[in-house]
Amino acid sequence: MKAALIGPDGAPLHQARRATGREHGPDAVVEAILGFAADLRAHGIAHLGESAAAAGVSVPGIVDADRGLAVYAANLGWRDVPLRELLTRRLGLPVALGHDVRTGGLAEGRIGAGQGADRFFFVALGTGIAGAIGVDGRVEAGAHGFAGEIGHIVVRPGGTPCPCGQRGCLERYASASAVSEAWAATSGTPGADAADCARAVDSGDPRARQVWQHAIDALADGLVTALTLLDPRTLIIGGGLAEAGDTLFTPLRTAVQQRITFQKFPDIVPAALGDTAGCLGAGLLAWDLPTVTDLTEATP
Ligand SMILES: [Zn+2]
């Protein structure tokens, strides 16, 4: 878990990290979150001379932000945790709850790589692929909290089965995990990962180039669908695969450019905030709470 005390401009004043303790089960994780937040609040009073005005928390999986529920997370094992209510009770502060990728996207769009872009799309290429649709400084969650799930756009109809129930989903081809698997199989090196593949691409290995281009073609197909629907000004790409830098971005820009016809070519930029994006975004969510804005404006 990453946590921070965050000023009104989004700047972190104090940062900390702690283990979730997920090996002790979902209740322990919830208690760890509550305790971490309470300690952070106490740190603000002790070392910064004032209490936090609000708290924001972002969690993985399925999140119902309106009702303040952490609905489901496969890797944490929880279901329908009323996290906002629990935190509000523990901290005595207004609390905002968000989804990790959408919250990370919010931070990238507002204070990271998007630099305040009015329309952006953030894509995280990690174990899976998820996205966040940024509109006027906010992130669109959709009617049911599923907006932006670009990883499950079908790019290869009838292709590789996906745990979501479809076949040929983008994340089966272009996630960091998919590239790692493909490169481990092709290179014959168990445990070889996407970063190894990128290094092999840089050193001119033709087998690596083939694996890499296969992923880039799928990614470009998926991104063009997103561009067609959303017309973003900026396309921000993060997650493990984006750490390959120009090895990813140069051929990706070319592949997208080759596919578009009437669509406008957006700025395609690497994410800037790394693994702190979700944490910083949670802080922005807290500052965005209407009660907090009122408080700030009321303070002379
Ligand atoms: Zn899928």
Side-chain angles (χ1 to χ4, degrees), residues 61 99 102 121 129-133 145-153 171:
H99 172 265
R102 284 197 291 274
F121 188 52
I129 297 182
I133 301 165
F146 291 99
E149 290 288 358
I150 188 176
H152 301 285
I153 282 182
E171 74 173 34

Side-chain angles (χ1 to χ4, degrees), residues 78-179:
W78 62 31
R79 279 183 189 276
D80 295 322
V81 178
L83 204 48
R84 185 172 64 202
E85 189 193 327
L86 292 170
L87 268 168
T88 304
R89 224 183 292 155
R90 177 72 65 98
L91 300 173
L93 296 173
V95 174
L97 178 69
H99 172 265
D100 59 351
V101 174
R102 284 197 291 274
T103 311
L106 176 73
E108 285 289 353
R110 213 188 283 178
I111 58 174
Q115 298 183 327
D118 55 348
R119 296 284 188 286
F120 70 88
F121 188 52
F122 168 71
V123 183
L125 307 172
T127 314
I129 297 182
I133 301 165
V135 181
D136 289 335
R138 299 190 174 269
V139 168
E140 171 59 42
H144 311 92
F146 291 99
E149 290 288 358
I150 188 176
H152 301 285
I153 282 182
V154 174
V155 293
R156 299 290 178 264
T160 310
C162 180
C164 79
Q166 303 182 118
R167 300 181 77 99
C169 289
L170 175 60
E171 74 173 34
R172 307 308 302 160
Y173 302 93
S175 60
S177 301
V179 174

Side-chain angles (χ1 to χ4, degrees), residues 4-283:
L5 290 164
I6 291 172
D9 56 354
L13 308 170
H14 167 74
Q15 298 190 65
R17 289 179 184 237
R18 248 180 225 185
T20 55
R22 67 178 171 180
E23 64 277 18
H24 303 298
D27 291 345
V29 175
V30 172
E31 186 49 42
I33 293 170
L34 299 180
F36 200 6
D39 289 351
L40 207 67
R41 180 173 185 267
H43 182 96
I45 295 168
H47 297 278
L48 302 175
E50 60 180 329
S51 173
V57 59
S58 74
V59 296
I62 301 170
V63 177
D64 185 335
D66 289 341
R67 292 162 66 210
L69 292 179
V71 177
Y72 175 71
N75 57 351
L76 299 176
W78 62 31
R79 279 183 189 276
D80 295 322
V81 178
L83 204 48
R84 185 172 64 202
E85 189 193 327
L86 292 170
L87 268 168
T88 304
R89 224 183 292 155
R90 177 72 65 98
L91 300 173
L93 296 173
V95 174
L97 178 69
H99 172 265
D100 59 351
V101 174
R102 284 197 291 274
T103 311
L106 176 73
E108 285 289 353
R110 213 188 283 178
I111 58 174
Q115 298 183 327
D118 55 348
R119 296 284 188 286
F120 70 88
F121 188 52
F122 168 71
V123 183
L125 307 172
T127 314
I129 297 182
I133 301 165
V135 181
D136 289 335
R138 299 190 174 269
V139 168
E140 171 59 42
H144 311 92
F146 291 99
E149 290 288 358
I150 188 176
H152 301 285
I153 282 182
V154 174
V155 293
R156 299 290 178 264
T160 310
C162 180
C164 79
Q166 303 182 118
R167 300 181 77 99
C169 289
L170 175 60
E171 74 173 34
R172 307 308 302 160
Y173 302 93
S175 60
S177 301
V179 174
S180 295
E181 267 173 51
W183 180 236
T186 302
S187 66
T189 313
D193 64 10
D196 297 324
C197 185
R199 276 190 289 275
V201 169
D202 290 341
S203 63
D205 183 328
R207 296 170 311 158
R209 282 174 184 263
Q210 200 175 10
V211 166
W212 197 249
Q213 192 60 44
H214 188 62
I216 284 176
D217 286 340
L219 183 55
D221 287 340
L223 290 176
V224 168
T225 299
L227 300 186
T228 307
L229 288 174
L230 303 172
D231 185 23
R233 199 171 306 279
T234 308
L235 186 52
I236 306 166
I237 306 203
L241 208 60
E243 284 163 24
D246 287 346
T247 305
L248 175 73
F249 284 87
T250 304
L252 181 62
R253 289 187 187 105
T254 303
V256 170
Q257 187 92 63
Q258 282 168 346
R259 282 164 173 77
I260 57 175
T261 56
F262 67 92
Q263 302 93 332
K264 293 293 178 195
F265 187 65
D267 284 334
I268 302 179
V269 297
L273 302 174
D275 72 353
T276 59
C279 174
L280 298 176

